[in-house]
Amino acid sequence: MKITEFEVPPMQDLLIIGRKAPVGPEAVRRMAEALSPDQFVIIKVEHPKIEAVLVRKTLFEMLDKDLLMSIVLEEAEGLINETMVLRSELKVAISVQREVELH
């Protein structure tokens, strides 16, 4: 997981919105909809520093929503304060290992 400060262009895979950030979840949702229609969803969270997370919808096709949100909150918690908006890139890698019998 890669986390950086919010900058333009604003979208990668996630935006993590602090509780007292200068831009709120509804404004972020509208911005995402204007720039990338039907690609993102806002997830409001119960967290002391984080109000919501804007998530690329395709991530929920690869990972369970609760698992993804748990990972995001755990990783961002030490970096974010209430006034920040963090941009994050999330890469999912799958490793498959098989044992086969050779004849």
Side-chain angles (χ1 to χ4, degrees):
M1 184 173 183
K2 177 181 173 184
I3 299 176
T4 61
E5 283 194 76
F6 180 75
E7 55 191 52
V8 176
M11 258 86 87
Q12 282 188 320
D13 296 320
L14 304 160
L15 283 182
I16 304 158
I17 306 157
R19 290 215 165 269
K20 295 180 182 176
V23 60
E26 182 56 27
V28 167
R29 187 198 61 75
R30 287 194 309 267
M31 175 189 62
E33 194 59 31
L35 296 172
S36 300
D38 205 34
Q39 298 295 309
F40 291 87
V41 63
I42 280 280
I43 307 294
K44 294 209 174 191
V45 297
E46 291 296 322
H47 188 276
K49 296 189 236 176
I50 301 167
E51 183 172 1
V53 181
L54 179 77
V55 181
R56 185 177 299 277
K57 287 180 178 180
T58 56
L59 290 174
F60 292 135
E61 295 170 12
M62 294 182 271
L63 291 171
D64 174 74
K65 177 183 170 185
D66 292 335
L67 174 61
L68 176 60
M69 295 309 295
S70 172
I71 292 168
V72 169
L73 295 177
E74 182 181 329
E75 294 299 324
E77 188 169 34
L79 299 172
I80 198 167
N81 68 40
E82 290 183 330
T83 64
M84 295 172 79
V85 176
L86 296 179
R87 177 177 70 163
S88 177
E89 178 182 352
L90 181 72
K91 295 185 188 237
V92 178
I94 297 172
S95 176
V96 177
Q97 191 173 5
R98 290 186 180 192
E99 188 174 310
V100 297
E101 187 176 317
L102 299 175
H103 294 282

